Amino acid sequence: EERRKNGFIWSGLYNSTSGINDTNQFIQAEKITKDTNPSYGSIQKLHARDSDLVAFCEDRVLKVHANKDALFNADGNTNIVATNKVLGSIKPFVGDYGISLNPESFASDSHRAYFSDTSRGSVLRLSQDGITSISTVGMRDWFADRFGAIGNSNVVGSFDDNRGEYNITLKSSDNYSSGPTLSFSEKSKGWVSFKSFNQENGISLNNSYYTFSGGNMYQHHINQTRNNFYNNQFDSSVDVVFNKVPGSIKSFSTLNYEGSQARITPEINNNPDYYDNFPKAGWYVDEMISNAQEVGELEFWDKEDKWFSQIKGVKTEWLS
């Protein structure tokens, strides 16, 4: 037994019109193998794109000509010619990136392909203009730290055709179900959200998006309840970072938002400001922190379909 981690091998021809099926024949007298540079690492994933074959190695991504070859002129330019070769010339894409040992992170959409390189702490996109690191869009340090912590554990990727988002789930080796899920949107050109579901795999079919959990298949975007995945209800949250003019001390009086129902807890002292003194679930502020003071939980009042809350700082306690 010989394990060829850096090479291709192909069988005979298959032609349904003439009834030829030689897919079970590997005649070594014919040239049926092609090797890559061993320094690129083992081949982890193959992807057919147009008339070429893309090979994702551990440390490099390769473009392999299919049914054609490249002839190099004296000046270094190439001319693509037809040939009887099954696989022709191999040319690496620009950029020292690969797919490491995580072929499960691969997902494709039209002419784009997404994958991760945990060895270099990057999430990448392969399109017509080559390889681009999309993890550098505001998330470079986050991915570098997280990939360094989980090493070569599972990084599951899938593409949601319905939303046009690439969903990537990071799973550590000690807890297969752990790890956050992030979404990258081409429309927004960035990472738009963390999500509560931890996919085992995912696929899009006929503009519908499906993921798998516990061996079961679930369809997304059909449940009207927000943030409900795999029959489990999760809390929704928004983290806001406000750092305008960081060198000055600012005073905040009110906080308001426009949206759905805010949380209401009954006022036991019958405060006249509470005209609606019945408990309701909804949005509230869990914490608000600055470099000078902290604010506790905030609830909102409804005024003309907008929600307002007065900011009250937590009192200072002297310990000595």
Side-chain angles (χ1 to χ4, degrees):
E1 179 179 318
E2 180 184 6
R3 295 184 177 270
R4 303 175 62 89
K5 298 181 180 180
N6 310 104
F8 304 95
I9 185 170
W10 53 88
S11 65
L13 296 175
Y14 172 77
N15 191 329
S16 60
T17 304
S18 58
I20 297 177
N21 184 3
D22 294 337
T23 55
N24 64 332
Q25 295 187 11
F26 295 85
I27 303 175
Q28 294 193 10
E30 300 178 357
K31 185 172 178 57
I32 59 173
T33 61
K34 192 172 189 65
D35 294 327
T36 63
N37 192 333
S39 64
Y40 297 155
S42 62
I43 299 174
Q44 294 288 315
K45 174 73 177 179
L46 297 178
H47 175 61
R49 190 180 70 166
D50 296 331
S51 59
D52 296 324
L53 185 68
V54 181
F56 294 87
C57 302
E58 294 182 49
D59 303 313
R60 210 65 185 270
V61 182
L62 309 175
K63 179 180 181 180
V64 185
H65 295 302
N67 293 325
K68 55 184 180 293
D69 202 358
L71 297 180
F72 292 87
N73 299 325
D75 56 359
N77 295 326
T78 59
N79 294 326
I80 303 298
V81 297
T83 178
N84 59 356
K85 291 183 177 180
V86 176
L87 298 180
S89 302
I90 297 177
K91 182 180 179 181
F93 286 96
V94 177
D96 294 330
Y97 293 108
I99 202 171
S100 296
L101 296 175
N102 302 105
E104 70 278 1
S105 66
F106 176 86
S108 63
D109 167 56
S110 184
H111 61 280
R112 299 186 185 96
Y114 303 87
F115 59 99
S116 68
D117 187 353
T118 57
S119 299
R120 293 157 188 83
S122 299
V123 181
L124 308 161
R125 177 189 61 206
L126 174 63
S127 57
Q128 299 292 346
D129 57 350
I131 298 178
T132 304
S133 177
I134 59 176
S135 58
T136 58
V137 187
M139 298 290 289
R140 180 181 60 183
D141 293 339
W142 191 92
F143 276 108
D145 296 340
R146 187 56 62 97
F147 284 152
I150 67 174
N152 285 322
S153 299
N154 294 85
V155 182
V156 182
S158 62
F159 193 85
D160 184 356
D161 284 344
N162 188 283
R163 293 289 187 267
E165 296 175 350
Y166 170 64
N167 297 323
I168 181 173
T169 303
L170 281 60
K171 299 176 179 291
S172 60
S173 58
D174 56 344
N175 187 354
Y176 186 78
S177 62
S178 67
T181 298
L182 292 83
S183 296
F184 179 84
S185 173
E186 288 290 343
K187 181 179 179 180
S188 302
K189 302 298 181 183
W191 300 90
V192 293
S193 177
F194 286 88
K195 295 185 175 177
S196 301
F197 66 87
N198 293 316
Q199 58 180 338
E200 296 174 357
N201 207 334
I203 189 173
S204 290
L205 178 64
N206 297 332
N207 204 35
S208 296
Y209 181 55
Y210 304 90
T211 60
F212 298 85
S213 177
N216 297 318
M217 183 173 66
Y218 296 86
Q219 182 178 357
H220 291 240
H221 314 309
I222 60 174
N223 188 354
Q224 298 300 323
T225 305
R226 299 283 185 174
N227 210 354
N228 186 289
F229 299 105
Y230 310 146
N231 300 324
N232 293 322
Q233 183 64 50
F234 299 91
D235 292 332
S236 300
S237 64
V238 179
D239 293 333
V240 180
V241 179
F242 182 85
N243 197 30
K244 187 177 181 179
V245 193
S248 63
I249 298 295
K250 294 169 284 292
S251 298
F252 300 91
S253 57
T254 59
L255 185 67
N256 63 80
Y257 79 92
E258 183 175 358
S260 57
Q261 175 69 44
R263 186 184 70 173
I264 296 178
T265 55
E267 173 62 41
I268 59 176
N269 297 323
N270 292 324
N271 190 327
D273 292 333
Y274 280 85
Y275 61 90
D276 185 1
N277 203 26
F278 300 97
K280 293 182 180 179
W283 294 99
Y284 66 97
V285 175
D286 181 62
E287 62 179 358
M288 184 175 177
I289 303 174
S290 72
N291 60 338
Q293 198 173 16
E294 297 182 5
V295 176
E297 293 187 1
L298 298 181
E299 297 186 11
F300 295 84
W301 293 326
D302 182 16
K303 295 181 180 180
E304 298 179 355
D305 296 330
K306 294 180 174 60
W307 301 86
F308 297 84
S309 180
Q310 183 180 3
I311 296 179
K312 298 178 181 179
V314 178
K315 65 179 181 179
T316 302
E317 297 182 2
W318 297 98
L319 302 180
S320 61

